[in-house]
Structure formats: C-alpha cells, structure tokens
Amino acid sequence: MDNLLYISALIAAIAFAVLVIYLVRLLKESERTMTSVANTLEGLEKQMEGITTETTLLLNRTNALAEDINQKADKLNGLVDSISGLSSTFTTFSASVKEVSDTISKIAVENKEETAQAIKWGNVAMEVFKKKKDKKRTK
C-alpha cells in the first residue's frame, strides 16, 4: 500500500509540474500580448497627438474663415443699405420727373396755340440752321 501512496504522490507531482509548465507558458504568452497591446497603445497615443494637432489647426482656420465671412457680410449689409437708399432716391426722382412731365403736359394742353406756334418756330429755326450747315459743306 505504501507503493500505491508513492505512486499517487508521484502522479500528483507530475500533474503539478505539468500545470506549472502550462501556467508559465500561459503567463509568457500573456506577457507578449500585453507588451503588444502596450506598443499599440503607444502608437495610438502618438497618432492621437497628431490628430489633436491637426484638429486644432483646422479649428483655428475655421474660426479665421468664419471671422472673415462675418466681416464681409457686414460690408455687404452696408452695400445693401446703400442700394436701398439709392432705390428710394430713384423713386423720388422718378416721381419728380413725372410731376414735371404732367405739369408740362397740362400747360401744353392749356396753351395749345402758343405751343403749336413755338413748335413751328422751332422747326423753322432748325431748317435755317440746317441750310447754313449745308452751304458751309458745299463751299
């Protein structure tokens, strides 16, 4: 029976040795995996620093562009206001011209005979001027 006890102790010792060997291998593989993960994280950290730098530059450029657009929009608003003022000036001018035209038409209707006489004298003056001009050309 003592032999059986020795044999069982030997089997237990061998099983324990095999378990230890497998645990050592598992721990070494885990160490390699952890080292690989650590290296990957270091690379990722460096890439994140680059991305952060690029993002900061992009944000600064975007802010500068937005500020430039705001300045140009303010200038454009001034131009639109000026054009609006110009439009009202043209409207007022057009109304004034219409009023003067209406007044002239009214006076012309009231003084038909004098108007006809003035038109005739104007035509005569134009013909005399034209004849003088033609005479100068022929000489």
Side-chain angles (χ1 to χ4, degrees):
M1 186 92 163
D2 279 337
N3 286 337
L4 196 56
L5 189 61
Y6 288 124
I7 291 174
S8 62
L10 182 65
I11 290 174
I14 292 173
F16 184 75
V18 169
L19 178 66
V20 168
I21 290 171
Y22 280 115
L23 282 176
V24 167
R25 290 172 93 189
L26 177 67
L27 289 175
K28 285 192 179 211
E29 286 296 320
S30 296
E31 181 183 10
R32 269 192 249 145
T33 302
M34 289 298 174
T35 303
S36 177
V37 168
N39 291 338
T40 302
L41 287 176
E42 284 178 18
L44 184 62
E45 185 178 335
K46 288 178 183 176
Q47 288 178 356
M48 288 301 292
E49 286 176 8
I51 290 171
T52 302
T53 303
E54 290 292 324
T55 304
T56 302
L57 289 173
L58 181 61
L59 183 61
N60 290 338
R61 288 180 186 156
T62 303
N63 287 340
L65 182 61
E67 186 176 328
D68 186 43
I69 288 172
N70 284 336
Q71 289 174 354
K72 289 180 181 174
D74 289 342
K75 289 178 183 178
L76 187 61
N77 286 340
L79 179 64
V80 169
D81 291 342
S82 297
I83 290 172
S84 174
L86 188 60
S87 173
S88 65
T89 301
F90 279 131
T91 303
T92 305
F93 177 71
S94 176
S96 298
V97 168
K98 184 177 181 332
E99 187 178 321
V100 168
S101 176
D102 290 345
T103 303
I104 290 173
S105 295
K106 184 179 176 184
I107 291 172
V109 169
E110 289 176 358
N111 301 317
K112 285 182 188 176
E113 292 179 22
E114 288 92 8
T115 304
Q117 192 77 18
I119 291 173
K120 285 180 187 177
W121 281 107
N123 286 337
V124 170
M126 289 294 284
E127 286 181 32
V128 169
F129 178 72
K130 201 176 195 182
K131 286 180 183 179
K132 281 187 178 183
K133 193 174 181 183
D134 289 339
K135 282 183 182 180
K136 283 184 182 179
R137 282 189 188 165
T138 57
K139 287 186 179 183

